[in-house]
């Protein structure tokens, strides 16, 4: 499947571009941006990437990889089978590195959410679709973004990490569902 993004492959692309941020942060940004209703074309997405990653114009191959992050997130969020997976390093890395990546993913999600939310409000929309539970979950994410690797050595830390990742994934999908509900027909459309 062309939309699958591999963390390590993307990390190599980032290294080639001189990007200091992590692939996890960019993927989180894409998911947050899309979840609140943000949509853009390839050129717009690449501008977001250049701004977020503090890079100059990527070459065509790098651009393809960056745009794949956006399309993969969009496809996963549109899927009926809850296909969204957080783009994090694999289990071969130490838990403290995976915890740091999770914090970066969540930070990216919140940044993307805020960017698309600002645009939505500027265009006359609102975030009223969010339930109070989702608003509370977003507050939880703000705390998770500050996650520290200090607990990596604690007993049960691996299981705790898995559970937090699953919670973050569910929050992202829930926000996406609430913000991207199909609009019902207007009164005029119902008449025809």
């Amino acid at each position: 499947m062309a939309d699958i993004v591999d963390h390590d492959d993307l990390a190599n692309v980032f290294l080639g571009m001189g990007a200091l941020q992590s692939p996890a942060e960019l993927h989180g940004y894409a998911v947050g941006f899309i979840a609140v209703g943000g949509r853009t074309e390839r050129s717009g997405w690449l501008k977001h990437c250049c701004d977020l990653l503090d890079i100059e114009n990527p070459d065509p191959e790098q651009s393809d990889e960056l745009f794949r992050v956006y399309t993969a997130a969009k496809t996963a969020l549109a899927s009926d089978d809850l296909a969204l997976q957080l783009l994090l390093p694999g289990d071969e890395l130490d838990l403290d590195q995976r915890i740091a990546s999770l914090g970066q993913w969540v930070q990216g999600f919140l940044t993307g959410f805020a960017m698309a939310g600002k645009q939505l409000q500027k265009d006359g929309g609102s975030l009223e679709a969010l339930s109070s539970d989702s608003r509370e979950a977003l507050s939880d994410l703000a705390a998770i973004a500050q996650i520290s690797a200090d607990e990596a050595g604690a007993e049960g830390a691996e299981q705790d990490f898995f559970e937090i990742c699953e919670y973050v994934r569910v929050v992202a999908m829930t926000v996406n569902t609430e913000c991207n509900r199909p609009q019902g027909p207007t009164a005029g459309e119902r008449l025809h």
Side-chain angles (χ1 to χ4, degrees):
M1 179 190 231
D3 278 342
I4 294 178
V5 178
D6 179 77
H7 181 277
D8 294 344
D9 291 344
L10 191 58
N12 288 333
V13 171
F14 276 35
L15 188 61
M17 293 185 299
L20 300 178
Q21 291 73 9
S22 72
E25 185 173 356
L26 181 63
H27 185 254
Y29 181 92
V31 172
F33 182 82
I34 295 164
V36 78
R39 299 295 183 273
T40 190
E41 298 299 320
R42 180 184 172 99
S43 61
W45 177 249
L46 294 176
K47 174 147 180 27
H48 282 271
C49 291
C50 288
D51 292 345
L52 181 72
L53 302 175
D54 195 23
I55 57 171
E56 296 299 320
N57 301 318
D59 68 36
E61 187 175 319
Q62 294 166 335
S63 295
D64 289 345
E65 290 301 313
L66 294 174
F67 191 59
R68 188 180 324 196
V69 173
Y70 174 80
T71 59
K74 190 174 169 188
T75 299
L77 287 169
S79 169
D80 290 333
D81 63 359
L82 308 176
L84 177 68
Q85 295 299 318
L86 308 184
L87 185 66
L88 298 173
D91 293 346
E92 68 278 358
L93 287 183
D94 290 339
L95 181 58
D96 61 339
Q97 292 173 300
R98 289 182 283 141
I99 289 171
S101 287
L102 174 60
Q104 293 161 353
W105 192 98
V106 173
Q107 183 61 50
F109 178 87
L110 293 171
T111 302
F113 181 92
M115 290 299 293
K118 276 197 258 184
Q119 185 61 46
L120 179 70
Q121 290 175 335
K122 192 168 113 179
D123 294 343
S126 75
L127 297 175
E128 296 303 316
L130 284 179
S131 67
S132 60
D133 287 344
S134 288
R135 291 175 192 272
E136 185 176 328
L138 288 169
S139 294
D140 292 345
L141 291 189
I144 292 170
Q146 305 303 316
I147 196 167
S148 165
D150 293 342
E151 300 298 318
E155 188 174 323
E158 191 76 41
Q159 180 63 31
D160 291 344
F161 173 74
F162 174 78
E163 290 173 5
I164 293 169
C165 287
E166 186 61 16
Y167 177 73
V168 168
R169 188 177 82 84
V170 169
V171 169
M173 290 185 301
T174 301
V175 168
N176 177 68
T177 299
E178 289 183 11
C179 290
N180 291 287
R181 285 190 181 117
Q183 300 298 316
T186 63
E189 292 170 328
R190 286 190 295 262
L191 295 175
H192 297 293

